[in-house]
Amino acid sequence: MTTTPTGDAPQLLVDTHVHLFSNTLPLAPGAWTRPHTDLTTEAFLPMMTAHGVSHAVISAMSLLDDANTYTLTALRSHPHLRATVDVPPGTPFADLAEMKSSGVVGIRLQWRRRPHLPDLTTRDYRTLLRQITDLNWHVELNIESARLPPVLHALLTAGTKVVVDHFGDPHPETGYNNPGGKALLNALTTAHVWTKLSAGYRLRVPPTTLATYATTLLQTAGPTKLFWGSDAPFIGAPHPLTYTDAITSFKTTVPNPTTRTQITQTSQNFYFT
């Protein structure tokens, strides 16, 4: 993966969705793919500097089976890193609080591709969501748009802050004009929900369509409800991508530099203050 700078990349760019790991780590049972490349902390930190990225957020990976150890170690290496973690219900509050002291800011529910979704209304999940609220964390949610409405409703009912990954998974034909898309747009007008302009390549639509998605989100909720994330190192991408490609995509998806700056400032405030 290249570390060539983009030249005019914003100096305060915040990448809210990066996966840091080593290919020596064990894979989780049932992992949906085996990564063909890794992105270690040692490789990513100079990449940040080269591309004008001042802060970054590590997104928890369901592919790994290392109990967040690599992520927690990475957080201790750089004060400009934050992270979400993958934790089961029943995790002791003291363990979560210790993670917060290391720089963890939330948990990730990686529920895409799951044949059956857990019930967020059970006692164990209600306890976990209450703990997240007490820690001022958020739930990072990666799920198919069609399955979003009941999950989003349960999280909002619990009073949890929610960040929905990857544009909210708009439908390639109907965009946000479907139950999942409408649920996301409605939720973005509340005080508890944000979404990421991340991993646009996973949606397999042209750049003009990505820009249309971003316009819809901006018109609905404004730049203070959006973040940008690269999704590096682009696991499962249909063709090779670089970090420069991800930043360029942000610029074409949100062509107004003032709006990009507002999104960056929103990310800084949400994750690092």
Side-chain angles (χ1 to χ4, degrees), residues 19 76 272:
H19 299 294
R76 299 184 188 107
F272 292 91

Side-chain angles (χ1 to χ4, degrees), residues 16 52 59 110 164 172 189:
T16 68
S59 179
Q110 174 60 289
V164 182
T189 64

Side-chain angles (χ1 to χ4, degrees), residues 136-149:
N136 195 29
W137 282 4
H138 70 279
V139 170
E140 178 189 2
L141 179 61
N142 185 22
I143 193 171
E144 297 88 349
S145 176
R147 302 168 108 182
L148 179 61

Side-chain angles (χ1 to χ4, degrees), residues 16 164 166-167 176 195-200 210 213-214 217-218 226-230 250 253-254 263:
T16 68
V164 182
H166 307 339
F167 291 78
Y176 297 104
T195 193
K196 293 182 189 177
L197 307 179
S198 57
L210 282 182
Y213 294 159
L217 295 170
L218 286 165
L226 303 181
F227 308 129
W228 169 75
S230 69
F250 182 34
T253 300
V254 183
I263 292 172

Side-chain angles (χ1 to χ4, degrees), residues 56-59 71-85 95-107 135 137-138 270-272:
V57 183
I58 307 167
S59 179
T71 292
L72 294 172
T73 301
L75 290 177
R76 299 184 188 107
S77 73
H78 202 297
H80 289 178
L81 294 178
R82 295 291 185 267
T84 58
V85 290
D95 291 354
L96 300 177
E98 184 176 355
M99 291 180 186
K100 178 174 182 174
S101 69
S102 296
V104 172
V105 292
I107 70 166
L135 291 166
W137 282 4
H138 70 279
F270 185 90
Y271 289 100
F272 292 91

Side-chain angles (χ1 to χ4, degrees), residues 106-163:
I107 70 166
R108 191 181 194 210
L109 300 183
Q110 174 60 289
W111 285 2
R112 182 177 294 274
R113 304 183 186 87
R114 293 190 66 158
H116 304 287
L117 297 183
D119 184 354
L120 288 169
T121 66
T122 62
R123 180 191 297 271
D124 285 347
Y125 267 106
R126 291 201 312 270
T127 299
L128 177 61
L129 295 178
R130 185 170 61 252
Q131 291 172 330
I132 289 167
T133 301
D134 291 343
L135 291 166
N136 195 29
W137 282 4
H138 70 279
V139 170
E140 178 189 2
L141 179 61
N142 185 22
I143 193 171
E144 297 88 349
S145 176
R147 302 168 108 182
L148 179 61
V151 175
L152 193 53
H153 175 75
L155 292 172
L156 286 173
T157 299
T160 310
K161 293 189 293 185
V162 184
V163 178

